[in-house]
Amino acid sequence: MHFLISNCRCLILSVDCRDVDAWAPELKEPMFDVYGREKYIRLWHNWIDTMKLIFKERDGNFCKDALDKVQARTLIVSGRDDDAVPLHHQYYFMEHIKNAELWIVSNAGHDVHLTRSKYFNAMVTTFLQAQ
């Protein structure tokens, strides 16, 4: 998505972002706990490299042309205070994915699944159990 890349270009191309050791402890420690330090750093670097390649080869269009092909009921969850992916992206997904629901979580950022895990899990469970 062109507008996504315009907001995230510095994230994807940033050396500072690539240096996981420079991140605040509350951002990196949960990932290290789940994946292990070395594995997470390797995964993160692979993700950054892939995003750079997509940015270059597809002019920043990650999935815009595929959204209308999504057939499954879709839950879009976002923290209201997400600095990494601003809410206008989630609204765009809502408009272009059939059968999508958008749930915005107050007092949460990009890591809503970690910082509000009980609430997040309850939301996902409710969504999955609904017909």
Side-chain angles (χ1 to χ4, degrees):
M1 296 181 168
H2 297 276
F3 64 88
L4 176 64
I5 288 301
S6 67
N7 287 336
C8 296
R9 181 180 307 221
C10 61
L11 170 69
I12 292 169
L13 303 177
S14 171
V15 173
D16 295 333
C17 180
R18 189 177 180 89
D19 182 7
V20 176
D21 289 325
W23 294 7
E26 63 270 14
L27 297 177
K28 63 185 173 185
E29 293 303 330
M31 299 304 163
F32 291 172
D33 290 346
V34 171
Y35 299 102
R37 183 183 184 285
E38 297 306 316
K39 183 176 181 180
Y40 182 73
I41 290 173
R42 187 172 61 253
L43 289 169
W44 180 250
H45 288 178
N46 287 340
W47 185 87
I48 292 289
D49 293 342
T50 301
M51 293 299 106
K52 288 165 86 172
L53 182 64
I54 291 170
F55 181 78
K56 179 180 177 184
E57 291 182 354
R58 298 190 67 199
D59 193 27
N61 183 355
F62 287 86
C63 61
K64 189 175 181 180
D65 54 345
L67 295 178
D68 65 341
K69 295 175 180 67
V70 175
Q71 298 297 313
R73 200 166 142 255
T74 304
L75 176 62
I76 303 163
V77 178
S78 180
R80 182 170 305 283
D81 305 318
D82 189 337
D83 291 330
V85 183
L87 283 175
H88 67 266
H89 300 289
Q90 289 78 333
Y91 290 123
Y92 185 90
F93 290 144
M94 264 295 293
E95 292 172 15
H96 293 88
I97 299 174
K98 299 175 194 102
N99 300 314
E101 294 181 33
L102 173 59
W103 294 5
I104 299 172
V105 182
S106 297
N107 301 315
H110 188 67
D111 58 353
V112 62
H113 60 293
L114 298 173
T115 59
R116 303 283 308 277
S117 59
K118 288 182 183 178
Y119 184 69
F120 176 84
N121 290 338
M123 287 186 343
V124 171
T125 299
T126 300
F127 176 80
L128 292 173
Q129 290 175 340
Q131 293 300 329

